[in-house]
Amino acid sequence: MNALMLLVQKLSCDVEEHVFSEVSLAIEKPESYFEKFKERLDERGIDSPIDQLAWISLVDALLDHDLAFELDWKESGLYICDVVDELLDRKKMAYISWGDFEDEEFDELPTSQCLNEISGKLKEVGISLAYLDIDSDSYVLITVPSSDIDDIKKMAQEAGYSIQDSF
């Protein structure tokens, strides 16, 4: 099994069959995938099958099943905490108290700094906050057990893509 399909297994939680199906279609029949998901791809400015179609199909499938969240580069503060809460809840991961982050100062930090602060808090309970790099001005956030993050990053690299856990 190739590295991208191993990533599907690692990231797709309880919807592996759905995600596998979409990514497989993008790999095996890119034109069919493009036609089936034309509207979704159009929102990304993709108007024909591209080399990164399998990666985008993984990203979009994870987004559709609430296993990832695409965050604008200029979001900050407690909104990001709420997003992370949703990701944690979807995967039935640890509850996090964001009390330390409820001051105005945190809310005014740049997005990357907020993400680093949140990531540090998550690491305390064995969870990594990471993002799937889609060469965009947004972050496609995921949460994974810290024990899996190095393998996940390596699989992405082997597949020709990037997952990062530093912002």
Side-chain angles (χ1 to χ4, degrees):
M1 185 176 290
N2 74 31
L4 188 58
M5 290 305 164
L6 289 172
L7 266 176
V8 167
Q9 283 182 325
K10 281 282 194 189
L11 299 178
S12 58
C13 200
D14 57 354
V15 291
E16 183 178 336
E17 189 175 308
H18 296 285
V19 178
F20 185 85
S21 172
E22 287 187 31
V23 175
S24 293
L25 183 62
I27 292 169
E28 296 165 10
K29 297 179 181 177
E31 291 289 338
S32 296
Y33 178 88
F34 179 79
E35 286 305 315
K36 183 174 182 177
F37 296 103
K38 190 173 184 148
E39 196 171 305
R40 174 200 282 178
L41 294 168
D42 189 50
E43 289 177 20
R44 293 196 175 281
I46 299 171
D47 57 7
S48 64
I50 58 173
D51 291 341
Q52 301 83 8
L53 195 59
W55 183 247
I56 295 299
S57 71
L58 172 60
V59 167
D60 283 341
L62 294 174
L63 289 167
D64 280 353
H65 293 284
D66 299 324
L67 294 168
F69 189 94
E70 192 164 0
L71 185 74
D72 189 74
W73 69 273
K74 56 187 174 190
E75 294 291 346
S76 61
L78 290 176
Y79 175 73
I80 300 173
C81 295
D82 290 341
V83 165
V84 170
D85 276 343
E86 289 177 29
L87 291 171
L88 294 171
D89 186 55
R90 172 64 177 87
K91 292 178 107 177
K92 297 174 178 48
M93 296 176 119
Y95 170 79
I96 304 295
S97 171
W98 302 111
D100 297 346
F101 298 162
E102 290 180 351
D103 63 18
E104 194 173 307
E105 191 175 304
F106 176 74
D107 225 26
E108 293 176 6
L109 294 175
T111 304
S112 60
Q113 200 170 343
C114 284
L115 289 167
N116 277 322
E117 295 287 327
I118 291 167
S119 180
K121 179 87 170 166
L122 290 172
K123 284 180 182 171
E124 294 173 9
V125 294
I127 298 170
S128 288
L129 180 65
Y131 69 96
L132 289 81
D133 189 352
I134 58 170
D135 196 27
S136 171
D137 63 353
S138 64
Y139 296 97
V140 179
L141 299 177
I142 58 172
T143 53
V144 297
S146 293
S147 58
D148 291 346
I149 191 64
D150 289 336
D151 286 342
I152 288 169
K153 288 167 47 177
K154 184 178 177 187
M155 282 180 231
Q157 185 178 17
E158 287 173 8
Y161 305 103
S162 176
I163 294 178
Q164 299 294 320
D165 63 341
S166 57
F167 302 90

